[in-house]
Amino acid sequence: MSVKHTTEKALQLLRTLPRVTIGNIRDNPQSKQNKKRGRGQHGGDKHGAGNKGSGQRQNYMRLGYETGNTPFYLRFGYEPYYKGHHLKREYPPISLHQLQKLIDTDRLETHSPIDLTTICNTGLFEIRPDLLHHGVQLTDEGADDFRAKINIEVQHAPEAVIAAVERNGGVIRTAYYDPHSLYAVVNPKKWFEKGVPIPRRMLPPQDAVEYYTNARNRGYLADPEQISQERLVLAQKYGYTLPKIEDDPDYEMLTQAKDPRQIFLGLNPGWVISLKDRAIIKAKQ
């Protein structure tokens, strides 16, 4: 094809095309890029924080605040079943399955009594008196697989748990700790480093006296003779032969118990424990 023929063809093509105007021109591909993304009204330049106000500044409002409106808990009447809910004692649960696992992994020793201090020293359970925690409750999950013979002290235990422990020849006891004593019980090292005396455990409040003086609950304030009778009654109810603790080689360990005013086994209230000097400072009689 000659150059003349090509030129004439190009000129003829230009004659048929429309004139170049603003309406029929466009930029080259990828020559312009939008700085914003398709994210609604602001196109993503607010980073999901909205426009102005405390929400954009991450100044989060307190829980229950409804931006000036009457809050929910004031909009409706007070219900009687909420009365005193902020004062009720709480007992975080520990199942028999978890307890057996702690024993199998040597985090708990069965040749010495188990109490709230030994459970907290495993590092797997946290008791916070500031959140109204008053100890632990032992639940019956894994009761059929529980095989350990232990001497344990908890704050709450149902009937099935008591039967599972006593069926293996063990001893269970429910005891109360006041909030002041709990701070020393859950973290003895921190308490001893303060250099203050071991506190004296207070008696349970009026609404808990009935529970801890009842032999069916194995309360630490119950009559020992009634506890022996209730052990036999529970064995007959659940259909197992009650082992005789008197003939057990671990009789001394199984019968160890704290005084109702004592929080540490072997340490009396009023004593000062010096970890630095590795000494026990006893109070004068």
Side-chain angles (χ1 to χ4, degrees), residues 1-17:
M1 182 180 296
S2 63
V3 176
K4 183 179 180 182
H5 181 71
T6 305
T7 304
E8 292 179 355
K9 188 175 181 180
L11 291 173
Q12 187 177 2
L13 181 62
L14 285 174
R15 294 188 191 101
T16 58
L17 289 175

Side-chain angles (χ1 to χ4, degrees), residues 58-92:
Q58 296 184 3
N59 181 24
Y60 302 112
M61 294 170 286
R62 62 175 175 83
L63 189 65
Y65 182 66
E66 299 184 14
T67 63
N69 299 329
T70 304
F72 177 83
Y73 65 92
L74 293 179
R75 217 162 34 233
F76 299 97
Y78 186 81
E79 295 293 342
Y81 50 80
Y82 285 139
K83 184 177 181 180
H85 70 282
H86 61 292
L87 301 175
K88 292 182 179 179
R89 295 182 291 273
E90 296 187 8
Y91 302 94

Side-chain angles (χ1 to χ4, degrees), residues 133-246:
H133 292 179
H134 280 68
V136 296
Q137 59 171 323
L138 201 57
T139 61
D140 58 355
E141 183 182 356
D144 297 334
D145 301 327
F146 189 72
R147 295 292 180 268
K149 181 177 65 175
I150 57 175
N151 179 4
I152 187 170
E153 178 191 86
V154 293
Q155 283 59 62
H156 193 277
E159 186 181 75
V161 171
I162 298 174
V165 174
E166 294 180 350
R167 180 184 58 199
N168 300 328
V171 175
I172 186 171
R173 190 177 296 101
T174 56
Y176 171 81
Y177 288 96
D178 60 282
H180 182 62
S181 299
L182 276 173
Y183 282 102
V185 171
V186 300
N187 196 343
K189 182 180 178 182
K190 183 177 180 180
W191 185 270
F192 295 156
E193 288 175 348
K194 295 180 180 179
V196 295
I198 299 174
R200 186 184 185 190
R201 177 164 48 164
M202 297 292 101
L203 294 176
Q206 192 66 32
D207 58 345
V209 170
E210 182 179 357
Y211 182 85
Y212 291 109
T213 55
N214 194 339
R216 293 183 179 179
N217 303 324
R218 305 301 186 265
Y220 73 119
L221 299 177
D223 187 4
E225 294 184 0
Q226 294 182 3
I227 292 179
S228 299
Q229 296 176 1
E230 291 296 335
R231 283 169 56 90
L232 184 59
V233 170
L234 192 62
Q236 294 174 351
K237 180 178 180 179
Y238 281 81
Y240 60 86
T241 303
L242 183 66
K244 292 185 178 180
I245 300 180
E246 296 79 4

Side-chain angles (χ1 to χ4, degrees), residues 66-135:
E66 299 184 14
T67 63
N69 299 329
T70 304
F72 177 83
Y73 65 92
L74 293 179
R75 217 162 34 233
F76 299 97
Y78 186 81
E79 295 293 342
Y81 50 80
Y82 285 139
K83 184 177 181 180
H85 70 282
H86 61 292
L87 301 175
K88 292 182 179 179
R89 295 182 291 273
E90 296 187 8
Y91 302 94
I94 296 179
S95 65
L96 287 174
H97 177 74
Q98 292 175 309
L99 187 63
Q100 183 67 54
K101 187 183 294 185
L102 292 175
I103 295 172
D104 295 340
T105 55
D106 294 333
R107 290 181 179 268
L108 289 178
E109 299 178 351
T110 58
H111 61 267
S112 59
I114 300 173
D115 59 358
L116 187 59
T117 302
T118 57
I119 293 175
C120 292
N121 285 341
T122 61
L124 301 177
F125 301 96
E126 184 182 17
I127 302 299
R128 296 187 56 181
D130 58 320
L131 297 182
L132 299 182
H133 292 179
H134 280 68

